[in-house]
Amino acid sequence: MTLQISRGPVRTLSGLLGLIGIVWLWATLLLLAQPHPGFTLRAEGDAIRFARAPDGLHIPADAYVVSIARPGGTPFAIEPTDLIEEPDFFDTYAEMHRFFARQGELRALLDQPFVLTWTGDAAGSGGQVDISPRERGLAELPATFWFQLGCGSIASVIGLWVLLLRPQAWSARMLALTGFAYLLITVPASIYSSRAIALDPALFRLLAAGNHLGAFLFGCGLITLM
């Protein structure tokens, strides 16, 4: 007896996997194209510290980051809220607008060499260093970036797989919707949560809108599924 497998579901799943591959490639190239200062920062209360110090520069690990500026320009103080992963953190639109405005100013500074000011290490010293932003290498992308892409991809594949097994069942349809919506949530979030300090505000807003749309569709699908 010969086992026959319908080509329709196989083609549909193959199409989804191909689409996921394109999405992964787009997200990765978009993130790699962003200028990277060669260091990462983390918020610690009301202060900013290095999560990883600038490449090739001897800056104490316990130093505080104060500001960045163009050579000879006015220093732009970095705030803890500049580093938040999710703009929904803010309670008001005014705070969110301020956040995106600051992202634009920081992103402009990352487009060319700048001066970084640090201070407050254990020895009480401080100073300034010249930073030349560069493109980030593939190995430098954080694990959370790949994790979010993987979670969204797995959810969408499972949802479509169940739908292909039971195409007439509304429960399967809603599960497929939640899987697609979860992919729509995680892809934008994987990009802006992995940014090096700042993204172009127009791009950031577009990604946040995609994330919000995915969350809305996910909620609708999940409620209907239940």
Side-chain angles (χ1 to χ4, degrees):
M1 182 176 66
T2 302
L3 179 62
Q4 294 183 349
I5 301 176
S6 175
R7 294 183 178 180
V10 174
R11 288 176 178 173
T12 303
L13 276 175
S14 298
L16 177 61
L17 291 175
L19 177 61
I20 289 174
I22 294 174
V23 170
W24 276 57
L25 180 62
W26 170 77
T28 303
L29 292 179
L30 180 61
L31 196 54
L32 291 177
Q34 304 301 314
H36 192 270
F39 60 84
T40 54
L41 302 175
R42 60 183 172 87
E44 189 174 285
D46 294 329
I48 306 294
R49 286 187 181 272
F50 290 106
R52 182 170 68 86
D55 300 332
L57 298 177
H58 300 291
I59 298 179
D62 56 350
Y64 291 97
V65 178
V66 178
S67 65
I68 64 176
R70 291 190 177 91
T74 302
F76 187 90
I78 302 179
E79 301 176 357
T81 53
D82 295 326
L83 305 179
I84 63 170
E85 295 183 356
E86 178 56 62
D88 288 341
F89 166 85
F90 298 106
D91 296 324
T92 67
Y93 283 112
E95 292 176 311
M96 187 174 293
H97 292 325
R98 180 178 182 273
F99 168 76
F100 284 123
R102 289 181 58 84
Q103 285 286 296
E105 295 185 60
L106 286 168
R107 178 63 175 78
L109 290 170
L110 293 177
D111 278 330
Q112 53 190 315
F114 63 85
V115 177
L116 180 145
T117 303
W118 61 274
T119 188
D121 65 301
S125 62
Q128 294 182 335
V129 290
D130 295 327
I131 303 294
S132 296
R134 55 171 175 77
E135 290 187 355
R136 193 186 306 193
L138 188 63
E140 295 178 286
L141 296 183
T144 53
F145 171 72
W146 305 111
F147 178 76
Q148 291 180 87
L149 288 180
C151 288
S153 301
I154 292 173
S156 63
V157 170
I158 292 175
L160 181 60
W161 183 19
V162 174
L163 177 61
L164 292 174
L165 294 175
R166 301 184 61 190
Q168 302 304 319
W170 274 100
S171 58
R173 295 174 182 176
M174 291 302 100
L175 182 63
L177 175 61
T178 59
F180 168 76
Y182 197 61
L183 181 65
L184 194 56
I185 291 171
T186 56
V187 171
S190 70
I191 297 172
Y192 60 66
S193 66
S194 304
R195 70 189 186 277
I197 304 179
L199 279 179
D200 177 84
L203 173 61
F204 206 147
R205 287 179 184 273
L206 180 62
L207 293 172
N211 176 268
H212 293 164
L213 175 61
F216 173 77
L217 293 176
F218 183 86
C220 291
L222 186 61
I223 291 173
T224 307
L225 177 63
M226 295 302 167

